[in-house]
Amino acid sequence: MTTSAITHGSVNEALNINVSTDIVSGLHKFFTVRYSDEPADNIIHSLANVTAPSLQSEQLFESWQGAVNHANHPDGWQLFQNDQYLLACVPASLFAHLPMDQATEAAYSAIFEQMHAGGYPYLVRTWNFFPGITSDGYAGSDHYQLFCSGRSRAYEQQLLEEQVYPAATVIGTQGGSMQIFFIAAKQAGIGIENVLQVSAYDYPSIYSQDPPLFSRALLHRNQSQEILFVSGTASITGHDTQYAGDINRQTEICLTNIEQLISTAVNEQNMTAITLRDFSQFKIYIKNPHNIDTVRTHIQQILGANAPVHYLQGDMCRSDLSVEIEALAIIPVI
Ligand code: 3EB
């Protein structure tokens, strides 16, 4: 890919990590994701910092910056929007006082409200971070299962005729409160499922009472780009975890799953043919920080040494999963 739609700064393992991924929509820069070892409070429009700590430097802050709509929003919303996309982080004040399932329901209901108010009816991508993902909540459910229930309940109240679920990441953090980021759009995207996996929304209820409502990937086209949002992808085939305890084999299955998503998008939805090396960004969440060298060696063999990869500590929703990979491809349309 050789266009200015994507800019990669220098990626290095020293303190000064500085990668930006610009999503450009038409002529309007939508937002920039900035990575730095400094928090973004010196930047004019810092959306938020993600809680998952980096494994690359002592501290790595991800801050999303863009053109903020300066209209006065109640409840502390800071909305980034242009003629096609809306991006925001749900204000914690809307759910911080509630138990997990109700908190999630409140957060997603608030997202749907903002989407409706702004005229962005399609949810295309979400990132969800919260502590204690596999620890007990209540009623025999862990926090992830309660999250799934709350999300389902918010969707049930939506009463939409046809629902394309967004691409999603759900990662357990070591502390802090829940953070939910999302991108919504004026135009619908296309959900991409993985033939090697049962669709998450069809999982049997052994994993969660209410199913995880997300698409394995979402293909979104605008006037100037094809964007493939690949959900957090784990070592799951069918609906079973593969290779518990084997970090290398798990990494392999994650990549195989992502390759399968590419080929479905290309063959069934006519997406431009790309390979893993054409992605703009990977985020690799690793549960045990000791595994980073193993994963990095594996990834560099496949993607090359200069691939746009960030390694982050994060817990997965199943205790037998050790690694999860999300990815973003931005393909300029000529
Ligand atoms: C999986 O494939 C792994 O509940 O939104 C990955 C990405 C996972 C998103 C979600 C869950 C979610 O089931 C877990």
Side-chain angles (χ1 to χ4, degrees), residues 23-42:
I23 293 189
V24 177
S25 163
L27 294 174
H28 309 287
K29 186 196 275 189
F30 174 40
F31 71 90
T32 301
V33 182
R34 167 185 174 272
Y35 296 91
S36 167
D37 58 329
E38 282 175 25
D41 55 14
N42 57 336

Side-chain angles (χ1 to χ4, degrees), residues 108 126 128 144 147-148 151 167-170 197 200 203 212-216 231-234 236 316-318 321 324:
Y108 274 84
T126 71
N128 309 264
Y144 175 67
F147 169 89
C148 287
R151 177 172 53 183
T169 292
V170 179
Q197 296 184 307
Y203 275 173
L213 301 182
F214 70 100
S215 295
R216 297 298 181 185
S231 292
T233 301
I236 294 173
M316 284 81 230
C317 60
R318 299 182 190 181
L321 291 171
E324 192 170 304

Side-chain angles (χ1 to χ4, degrees), residues 277-293:
R277 291 194 176 228
D278 296 315
F279 276 78
S280 305
Q281 184 196 58
F282 292 91
K283 279 195 221 161
I284 305 189
Y285 302 93
I286 300 171
K287 184 149 68 182
N288 182 345
H290 291 118
N291 281 331
I292 186 173
D293 289 337

Side-chain angles (χ1 to χ4, degrees), residues 145-157:
Q145 293 164 330
L146 293 168
F147 169 89
C148 287
S149 292
R151 177 172 53 183
S152 290
R153 288 209 294 264
Y155 265 103
E156 278 160 20
Q157 287 156 27

